[in-house]
Amino acid sequence: MKRIWIFVGLAATALAHGSEVVSEVSWSKLKASDQLLAGEVVVPDTGAVRECLKITGASGRPVQILSVKAPGISKTVWAINGQIRYEDVEGAGYMEMWSVFPSGSRYFSRTMDVTGPMGQLTGSSGWRPFVLPFFSKEGEPAPAELIVNVVLPGRGTVYVGPLRIAQFLPGESPFEDTSGWWSSQTGGCIGALLGVFGGLAGGLVGWLVGVGKGRQFVLSMMKLMCVVGSLALAAGLFSVIGRQPYHVYYPLLLGGVLYVVLFACTFRTIGRRYAQLELRKMSAMDSR
């Protein structure tokens, strides 16, 4: 048991990486502060997003929907991502992000792929994720401004959900989904905590059972671990039903299943082990 839980702890710790959400953009807050640049803030009929910005076709002219000055980027890779859906878009439209640097130089990222999170806006689509990444070099200055445009070549309607500005360490993928109850970095920390806590508890239980001590403490700890595992498992199942991303439900389900299986399934066995040790102790005392 001790080796199993140490392995789980190390595996979960390895997952503790991912994007850092620098800021989030709420269209309703921008409208309330009179900073909305274009479009109309609407509440969608489906539960995929809580609010969205509605943009209609503009005959190929870029429609600027966001401008963030001094975005607070400190890493070499950053991205703006969110959810998007569109109806009856003629031609191939796209989202674009301009990264403007202190020197005045500007570079763009556009959703011009055929499919995926950088796929074009063409025809109609239900809610899907999109991402606008930028890869800088070590030692290069941070962007002074980030600008997001919607470009539609003809008629069509685009709905853009709340946006997130995220940054990444070298080697981390900006195409990772940062939506959900928490970020992948937080999800990795939750998995690591569940793994490390379970590993320590499992190792302590194994040692105490081996030396035949701490019966009440061991059984109480195992009950506690079963409760924690059941709560994590329930939260994981609820997040799956709620269509939360992988980095939300995976550590909850993994930790919950392992806690319940390892501690609940061995509870009676360990109880019998302590009972046998007690009987042996009593027999040894009687033989004297």
Side-chain angles (χ1 to χ4, degrees):
M1 180 181 293
K2 180 178 179 180
R3 293 181 179 179
I4 293 176
W5 278 105
I6 290 177
F7 171 78
V8 172
L10 292 175
T13 302
L15 294 174
H17 68 284
S19 64
E20 174 191 345
V21 178
V22 178
S23 62
E24 298 188 358
V25 176
S26 167
W27 303 118
S28 59
K29 290 183 179 179
L30 288 179
K31 180 180 179 180
S33 60
D34 199 26
Q35 296 180 6
L36 192 66
L37 301 179
E40 176 188 0
V41 180
V42 298
V43 178
D45 297 332
T46 62
V49 297
R50 62 183 181 274
E51 65 176 25
C52 58
L53 184 68
K54 180 180 178 181
I55 303 294
T56 56
S59 301
R61 296 190 303 272
V63 178
Q64 184 173 324
I65 63 173
L66 183 68
S67 172
V68 181
K69 296 183 179 180
I73 300 297
S74 60
K75 295 182 172 61
T76 58
V77 181
W78 58 87
I80 290 181
N81 54 39
Q83 296 282 327
I84 191 172
R85 80 175 178 91
Y86 36 93
E87 299 173 348
D88 304 320
V89 174
E90 296 179 342
Y94 55 88
M95 301 278 293
E96 66 177 6
M97 175 184 69
W98 286 89
S99 296
V100 183
F101 293 88
S103 63
S105 58
R106 301 158 57 97
Y107 302 94
F108 64 81
S109 305
R110 290 174 176 167
T111 58
M112 295 294 289
D113 288 349
V114 177
T115 60
M118 293 191 69
Q120 297 175 345
L121 314 181
T122 181
S124 299
S125 172
W127 288 107
R128 69 169 179 85
F130 78 91
V131 60
L132 294 163
F134 190 88
F135 300 85
S136 184
K137 296 180 180 179
E138 194 69 36
E140 293 293 324
E145 183 180 9
L146 297 178
I147 298 173
V148 178
N149 298 328
V150 176
V151 182
L152 298 178
R155 290 181 298 179
T157 304
V158 176
Y159 300 88
V160 184
L163 302 181
R164 296 177 182 84
I165 301 175
Q167 60 182 355
F168 307 80
L169 292 171
E172 295 177 344
S173 173
F175 300 100
E176 183 181 3
D177 188 3
T178 59
S179 62
W181 294 343
W182 48 69
S183 67
S184 61
Q185 185 176 18
T186 303
C189 291
I190 291 174
L193 287 174
L194 288 172
V196 171
F197 183 50
L200 292 174
L204 182 59
V205 167
W207 178 73
L208 289 174
V209 172
V211 298
K213 296 181 179 181
R215 178 179 181 277
Q216 190 60 43
F217 174 77
V218 166
L219 296 180
S220 297
M221 176 180 289
M222 294 186 70
K223 290 180 180 179
L224 175 62
M225 300 300 284
C226 289
V227 171
V228 173
S230 299
L231 292 175
L233 185 58
L237 293 174
F238 184 76
S239 65
V240 170
I241 295 173
R243 298 182 179 180
Q244 291 293 309
Y246 177 83
H247 61 262
V248 172
Y249 67 77
Y250 178 73
L252 294 173
L253 291 179
L254 176 63
V257 169
L258 290 178
Y259 273 39
V260 170
V261 169
L262 292 180
F263 287 102
C265 293
T266 59
F267 184 82
R268 291 186 178 180
T269 301
I270 290 179
R272 286 196 295 267
R273 172 62 175 170
Y274 274 113
Q276 292 172 358
L277 292 174
E278 189 67 24
L279 288 174
R280 290 179 184 176
K281 184 184 295 186
M282 295 175 62
S283 298
M285 294 179 62
D286 292 340
S287 63
R288 295 178 184 176

